[in-house]
Amino acid sequence: MWLDEETFKCIVAHAPLVSIDLIVENGEGKILVGRRKNPPAKGFLFVPGGRIFKNETIEEAFRRITFQELGKEIDAASANFWGVYEHFYKDSFFGDEFSTHYVVLAYKLKVTDSLPLLNSQHSEYLWLRIEELLNRKDVHVYAKAYFRRGQ
């Protein structure tokens, strides 16, 4: 369920958001990242994802987010749970007035066919090898954290 702007602003200002991030790997072992158009993390390359809505199951959210972010509805059962992460940003979608806190459920999935990539949240998409992703300054530190597990 989409919230009106004032309600969403109040929630972001006072509570953590729960979201799903998608670590999408293609047949060449490259990871999908998109350049974010909106804060937080505006201008950085980041993995696709989205927040879970109230009264939406994780499975329902996963299917909705994969459709919105990748242009293809995918079941969570076809992905591997990658872990729980926390992301803390000094800004929010509403500017610098308050911070944003995400509790993120990360899932890794492999795709073998091309994706439409229709999302309006990103200005461009790139498929990067993990080494390249880790070495680029324009990939957000939180996106890099998914590939530094156990280091």
Side-chain angles (χ1 to χ4, degrees), residues 55-106:
N55 295 326
E56 183 178 48
T57 67
I58 293 170
E59 177 61 39
E60 291 167 342
F62 192 92
R63 286 193 308 269
R64 177 184 53 78
I65 292 166
T66 55
F67 181 74
Q68 289 176 337
E69 293 281 312
L70 307 177
K72 180 180 179 181
E73 190 174 287
I74 301 170
D75 289 328
S78 65
N80 293 318
F81 182 64
W82 206 248
V84 178
Y85 294 78
E86 287 189 287
H87 297 175
F88 297 92
Y89 300 94
K90 292 182 181 180
D91 63 347
S92 74
F93 178 79
F94 302 100
D96 295 333
E97 186 179 341
F98 48 82
S99 64
T100 306
H101 174 194
Y102 282 98
V103 175
V104 182
L105 309 177

Side-chain angles (χ1 to χ4, degrees), residues 22 24 32 48-49 62 64-74 109 111 114-119 125 127:
L22 305 169
V24 182
L32 178 65
F62 192 92
R64 177 184 53 78
I65 292 166
T66 55
F67 181 74
Q68 289 176 337
E69 293 281 312
L70 307 177
K72 180 180 179 181
E73 190 174 287
I74 301 170
L109 58 137
V111 295
S114 63
L115 299 170
L117 301 176
L118 305 171
N119 191 291
Y125 291 95
W127 290 95

